[in-house]
Protein backbone atom coordinates (compact mmCIF):
# COMPACT_ATOMS: atom_id res chain seq x y z
CA UNK A 1 0.00 0.00 0.00
CA UNK A 2 1.34 3.41 -0.95
CA UNK A 3 2.26 5.72 1.89
CA UNK A 4 -0.11 8.67 2.21
CA UNK A 5 2.50 11.06 3.61
CA UNK A 6 5.13 11.02 0.92
CA UNK A 7 8.70 9.78 1.20
CA UNK A 8 11.85 10.40 3.19
CA UNK A 9 11.67 11.47 6.81
CA UNK A 10 7.89 11.92 6.69
CA UNK A 11 7.50 8.25 5.75
CA UNK A 12 9.87 7.23 8.53
CA UNK A 13 7.83 9.17 11.07
CA UNK A 14 4.59 7.55 9.97
CA UNK A 15 6.10 4.07 9.97
CA UNK A 16 7.28 4.39 13.56
CA UNK A 17 3.86 5.71 14.62
CA UNK A 18 4.85 9.30 15.33
CA UNK A 19 3.33 12.43 13.82
CA UNK A 20 4.98 14.59 11.15
CA UNK A 21 7.07 17.47 12.46
CA UNK A 22 5.31 20.85 12.47
CA UNK A 23 6.02 23.17 9.59
CA UNK A 24 7.21 25.98 11.86
CA UNK A 25 9.29 26.13 15.02
CA UNK A 26 6.46 27.70 17.01
CA UNK A 27 4.58 25.25 19.23
CA UNK A 28 1.12 24.27 17.96
CA UNK A 29 -1.95 25.07 20.04
CA UNK A 30 -2.42 21.36 20.71
CA UNK A 31 -0.40 18.29 19.83
CA UNK A 32 -2.38 15.58 18.04
CA UNK A 33 -2.13 12.09 19.52
CA UNK A 34 0.25 9.56 17.94
CA UNK A 35 -1.01 7.60 14.97
CA UNK A 36 -1.14 4.39 17.00
CA UNK A 37 -3.44 6.09 19.52
CA UNK A 38 -5.69 7.38 16.76
CA UNK A 39 -5.75 3.91 15.20
CA UNK A 40 -6.68 2.33 18.55
CA UNK A 41 -9.54 4.78 19.07
CA UNK A 42 -10.82 4.25 15.53
CA UNK A 43 -10.83 0.46 15.90
CA UNK A 44 -12.48 0.75 19.32
CA UNK A 45 -15.23 2.93 17.89
CA UNK A 46 -15.87 0.41 15.14
CA UNK A 47 -16.16 -2.36 17.72
CA UNK A 48 -18.52 -0.31 19.88
CA UNK A 49 -20.82 0.66 17.00
CA UNK A 50 -20.66 -2.92 15.66
CA UNK A 51 -19.06 -2.18 12.32
CA UNK A 52 -16.58 -4.79 13.56
CA UNK A 53 -18.90 -7.49 14.87
CA UNK A 54 -18.10 -9.86 17.72
CA UNK A 55 -16.05 -12.71 16.33
CA UNK A 56 -15.05 -10.78 13.20
CA UNK A 57 -11.50 -11.38 11.96
CA UNK A 58 -9.47 -8.19 11.50
CA UNK A 59 -6.72 -8.14 8.88
CA UNK A 60 -4.00 -5.61 9.63
CA UNK A 61 -3.57 -4.59 5.98
CA UNK A 62 -7.32 -4.08 5.48
CA UNK A 63 -7.71 -2.06 8.67
CA UNK A 64 -4.74 0.12 7.68
CA UNK A 65 -6.29 0.77 4.27
CA UNK A 66 -9.66 1.59 5.82
CA UNK A 67 -8.10 4.06 8.26
CA UNK A 68 -5.75 5.56 5.66
CA UNK A 69 -2.67 4.72 7.72
CA UNK A 70 0.45 2.65 7.34
CA UNK A 71 0.47 -0.78 8.93
CA UNK A 72 2.89 -0.04 11.80
CA UNK A 73 0.57 2.17 13.94
CA UNK A 74 -2.34 -0.14 13.17
CA UNK A 75 -0.27 -3.14 14.27
CA UNK A 76 0.54 -1.34 17.54
CA UNK A 77 -3.13 -0.49 18.05
CA UNK A 78 -4.27 -4.07 17.50
CA UNK A 79 -1.63 -5.37 19.90
CA UNK A 80 -2.81 -2.90 22.55
CA UNK A 81 -6.41 -4.01 22.12
CA UNK A 82 -5.37 -7.66 22.49
CA UNK A 83 -3.72 -6.71 25.80
CA UNK A 84 -6.88 -4.88 26.87
CA UNK A 85 -9.00 -7.95 26.10
CA UNK A 86 -11.15 -6.50 23.32
CA UNK A 87 -9.35 -8.47 20.60
CA UNK A 88 -7.89 -11.97 20.69
CA UNK A 89 -5.05 -13.53 18.72
CA UNK A 90 -5.76 -16.15 16.08
CA UNK A 91 -3.06 -18.75 15.40
CA UNK A 92 -1.08 -17.59 12.34
CA UNK A 93 -3.96 -15.42 11.09
CA UNK A 94 -4.14 -12.10 12.89
CA UNK A 95 -6.79 -11.12 15.40
CA UNK A 96 -10.54 -11.14 15.84
CA UNK A 97 -13.02 -9.19 17.92
CA UNK A 98 -13.46 -11.03 21.18
CA UNK A 99 -16.95 -12.30 21.91
CA UNK A 100 -18.34 -11.14 25.22
CA UNK A 101 -19.06 -13.96 27.62
CA UNK A 102 -21.55 -13.76 30.46
CA UNK A 103 -18.72 -13.71 32.99
CA UNK A 104 -17.15 -10.70 31.19
CA UNK A 105 -20.32 -8.68 31.72
CA UNK A 106 -20.73 -9.85 35.30
CA UNK A 107 -17.14 -8.94 36.16
CA UNK A 108 -17.50 -5.53 34.53
CA UNK A 109 -20.59 -4.69 36.56
CA UNK A 110 -18.99 -5.99 39.77
CA UNK A 111 -16.26 -3.38 39.34
CA UNK A 112 -18.40 -0.59 37.90
CA UNK A 113 -21.16 -0.74 40.54
CA UNK A 114 -19.26 0.51 43.62
CA UNK A 115 -17.30 3.06 41.59
CA UNK A 116 -20.30 4.67 39.91
CA UNK A 117 -22.30 4.67 43.15
CA UNK A 118 -19.44 6.50 44.86
CA UNK A 119 -19.16 8.92 41.93
CA UNK A 120 -22.81 9.93 42.39
CA UNK A 121 -22.35 10.29 46.14
CA UNK A 122 -19.31 12.55 45.65
CA UNK A 123 -21.03 14.58 42.94
CA UNK A 124 -23.96 15.26 45.29
CA UNK A 125 -21.55 16.22 48.07
CA UNK A 126 -19.84 18.65 45.74
CA UNK A 127 -23.21 20.17 44.88
CA UNK A 128 -24.13 20.42 48.58
CA UNK A 129 -20.87 22.29 49.14
CA UNK A 130 -21.94 24.85 46.57
CA UNK A 131 -20.28 23.50 43.43
CA UNK A 132 -22.77 23.66 40.57
CA UNK A 133 -20.17 22.92 37.92
CA UNK A 134 -21.19 20.03 35.73
CA UNK A 135 -24.96 20.24 36.31
CA UNK A 136 -25.59 21.97 32.99
CA UNK A 137 -23.62 19.29 31.17
CA UNK A 138 -25.63 16.55 32.90
CA UNK A 139 -28.90 18.24 31.93
CA UNK A 140 -27.69 18.44 28.35
CA UNK A 141 -26.98 14.70 28.20
CA UNK A 142 -30.49 13.97 29.49
CA UNK A 143 -31.97 16.13 26.73
CA UNK A 144 -29.74 14.48 24.14
CA UNK A 145 -30.86 11.01 25.23
CA UNK A 146 -34.53 11.99 24.99
CA UNK A 147 -34.00 13.53 21.56
CA UNK A 148 -32.12 10.48 20.29
CA UNK A 149 -34.77 8.10 21.63
CA UNK A 150 -37.55 10.10 19.98
CA UNK A 151 -35.68 9.97 16.67
CA UNK A 152 -34.95 6.26 17.01
CA UNK A 153 -31.20 6.88 16.96
CA UNK A 154 -29.93 4.15 19.26
CA UNK A 155 -26.22 4.88 18.86
CA UNK A 156 -26.71 8.54 19.75
CA UNK A 157 -28.81 7.59 22.76
CA UNK A 158 -26.10 5.22 24.00
CA UNK A 159 -23.50 7.98 23.54
CA UNK A 160 -25.66 10.38 25.58
CA UNK A 161 -26.10 7.85 28.38
CA UNK A 162 -22.38 7.18 28.44
CA UNK A 163 -21.72 10.92 28.56
CA UNK A 164 -24.11 11.23 31.52
CA UNK A 165 -22.12 8.74 33.58
CA UNK A 166 -18.85 10.36 32.57
CA UNK A 167 -20.28 13.73 33.60
CA UNK A 168 -21.15 12.41 37.06
CA UNK A 169 -17.59 11.13 37.45
CA UNK A 170 -16.19 14.50 36.37
CA UNK A 171 -18.44 16.27 38.87
CA UNK A 172 -17.20 14.02 41.69
CA UNK A 173 -13.95 15.96 41.70
CA UNK A 174 -11.86 12.86 42.39
CA UNK A 175 -9.10 12.49 39.77
CA UNK A 176 -8.13 8.99 40.90
CA UNK A 177 -11.73 7.83 40.50
CA UNK A 178 -11.84 9.48 37.08
CA UNK A 179 -8.68 7.69 35.93
CA UNK A 180 -9.95 4.36 37.22
CA UNK A 181 -13.31 4.78 35.52
CA UNK A 182 -11.60 5.77 32.28
CA UNK A 183 -10.09 2.28 32.12
CA UNK A 184 -13.62 0.84 32.01
CA UNK A 185 -15.05 3.31 29.52
CA UNK A 186 -14.72 1.32 26.32
CA UNK A 187 -15.95 -1.92 27.88
CA UNK A 188 -18.98 -0.06 29.21
CA UNK A 189 -19.65 1.56 25.84
CA UNK A 190 -19.49 -1.83 24.20
CA UNK A 191 -21.98 -3.38 26.62
CA UNK A 192 -24.28 -0.33 26.45
CA UNK A 193 -24.21 -0.52 22.66
CA UNK A 194 -25.06 -4.22 22.53
CA UNK A 195 -27.85 -4.30 25.10
CA UNK A 196 -31.38 -2.99 24.84
CA UNK A 197 -31.95 0.61 25.92
CA UNK A 198 -35.36 0.63 27.63
CA UNK A 199 -37.13 3.92 28.33
CA UNK A 200 -37.02 3.48 32.10
CA UNK A 201 -33.22 3.83 31.97
CA UNK A 202 -33.68 7.46 30.93
CA UNK A 203 -36.05 7.96 33.85
CA UNK A 204 -33.45 6.48 36.21
CA UNK A 205 -30.82 8.90 34.94
CA UNK A 206 -33.24 11.78 35.52
CA UNK A 207 -33.80 10.54 39.09
CA UNK A 208 -30.04 10.37 39.69
CA UNK A 209 -29.70 13.90 38.35
CA UNK A 210 -32.41 15.24 40.68
CA UNK A 211 -30.69 13.85 43.77
CA UNK A 212 -27.27 15.10 42.67
CA UNK A 213 -28.68 18.57 41.90
CA UNK A 214 -30.39 18.57 45.31
CA UNK A 215 -27.08 17.82 47.00
CA UNK A 216 -28.38 14.61 48.61
CA UNK A 217 -25.45 12.14 48.59
CA UNK A 218 -27.21 9.08 49.98
CA UNK A 219 -30.30 9.45 47.79
CA UNK A 220 -28.01 9.90 44.79
CA UNK A 221 -26.05 6.78 45.75
CA UNK A 222 -29.23 4.73 46.30
CA UNK A 223 -30.76 5.73 42.96
CA UNK A 224 -27.48 4.96 41.21
CA UNK A 225 -27.26 1.52 42.82
CA UNK A 226 -30.78 0.73 41.61
CA UNK A 227 -29.88 1.92 38.11
CA UNK A 228 -26.65 -0.08 37.86
CA UNK A 229 -28.28 -3.29 39.04
CA UNK A 230 -31.14 -2.81 36.63
CA UNK A 231 -28.66 -2.07 33.83
CA UNK A 232 -26.82 -5.29 34.66
CA UNK A 233 -30.02 -7.35 34.47
CA UNK A 234 -30.97 -5.73 31.16
CA UNK A 235 -27.50 -6.35 29.73
CA UNK A 236 -27.44 -10.01 30.71
CA UNK A 237 -30.96 -10.56 29.36
CA UNK A 238 -30.23 -8.72 26.10
CA UNK A 239 -26.90 -10.40 25.42
CA UNK A 240 -27.53 -13.91 26.69
CA UNK A 241 -31.28 -14.30 26.49
CA UNK A 242 -31.97 -15.30 30.06
CA UNK A 243 -33.19 -13.49 33.13
CA UNK A 244 -30.56 -12.72 35.74
CA UNK A 245 -31.84 -14.34 38.92
CA UNK A 246 -29.07 -12.90 41.10
CA UNK A 247 -29.79 -9.23 40.28
Amino acid sequence: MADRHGTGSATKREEDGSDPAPASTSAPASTPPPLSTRAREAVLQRIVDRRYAQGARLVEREVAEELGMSRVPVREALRALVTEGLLELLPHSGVRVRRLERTDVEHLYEVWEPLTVQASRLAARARAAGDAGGLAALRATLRQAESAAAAGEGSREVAAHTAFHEGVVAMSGNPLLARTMEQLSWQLRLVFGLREEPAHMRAQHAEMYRHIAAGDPEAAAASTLLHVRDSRAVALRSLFGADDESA
Side-chain angles (χ1 to χ4, degrees):
M1 174 181 171
D3 197 303
R4 290 167 55 89
H5 294 283
T7 59
S9 60
T11 300
K12 173 64 169 61
R13 280 189 296 269
E14 185 184 61
E15 289 298 328
D16 66 13
S18 61
D19 287 316
S24 66
T25 57
S26 58
S30 61
T31 302
L35 286 175
S36 59
T37 300
R38 283 183 268 170
R40 173 184 170 277
E41 292 174 353
V43 173
L44 277 170
Q45 189 59 54
R46 284 161 171 77
I47 294 172
V48 168
D49 64 23
R50 287 175 277 182
R51 278 180 283 176
Y52 294 163
Q54 291 191 65
R57 179 171 173 260
L58 301 185
V59 179
E60 179 186 300
R61 171 181 52 79
E62 294 174 355
V63 174
E65 290 176 353
E66 182 180 348
L67 300 183
M69 295 182 179
S70 68
R71 293 172 64 170
V72 170
V74 169
R75 184 180 307 133
E76 293 173 356
L78 297 181
R79 286 173 177 168
L81 292 173
V82 168
T83 301
E84 294 172 33
L86 292 172
L87 299 178
E88 59 185 358
L89 288 172
L90 293 172
H92 312 296
S93 58
V95 298
R96 69 181 171 194
V97 180
R98 187 169 174 269
R99 293 185 182 276
L100 281 177
E101 303 292 343
R102 184 185 182 93
T103 53
D104 295 324
V105 178
E106 291 173 340
H107 292 163
L108 177 61
Y109 274 92
E110 285 170 359
V111 174
W112 186 49
E113 178 183 299
L115 294 176
T116 197
V117 167
Q118 183 66 2
S120 289
R121 181 181 287 113
L122 293 176
R125 285 179 185 171
R127 178 67 187 99
D131 184 0
L135 285 178
L138 289 184
R139 285 196 303 272
T141 63
L142 295 177
R143 290 194 297 268
Q144 290 162 8
E146 291 290 346
S147 171
E153 297 176 0
S155 295
R156 189 160 67 90
E157 184 180 359
V158 168
H161 284 182
T162 303
F164 175 84
H165 284 287
E166 291 173 348
V168 173
V169 172
M171 194 173 171
S172 76
N174 186 315
L176 178 57
L177 177 61
R179 289 195 299 271
T180 304
M181 291 286 272
E182 186 177 2
Q183 297 177 29
L184 305 178
S185 63
W186 284 105
Q187 291 94 325
L188 288 168
R189 291 184 194 187
L190 177 58
V191 170
F192 291 167
L194 291 172
R195 72 174 189 194
E196 297 172 356
E197 199 71 16
H200 71 266
M201 297 292 226
R202 297 192 299 278
Q204 289 174 351
H205 280 179
E207 183 73 7
M208 290 166 59
Y209 170 81
R210 284 193 291 272
H211 293 310
I212 291 171
D216 189 334
E218 295 315 310
S223 63
T224 302
L225 179 62
L226 174 64
H227 170 67
V228 173
R229 291 188 173 176
D230 193 21
S231 174
R232 176 181 182 272
V234 168
L236 291 173
R237 185 167 59 248
S238 298
L239 296 173
F240 307 107
D243 290 333
D244 177 35
E245 298 178 355
S246 64

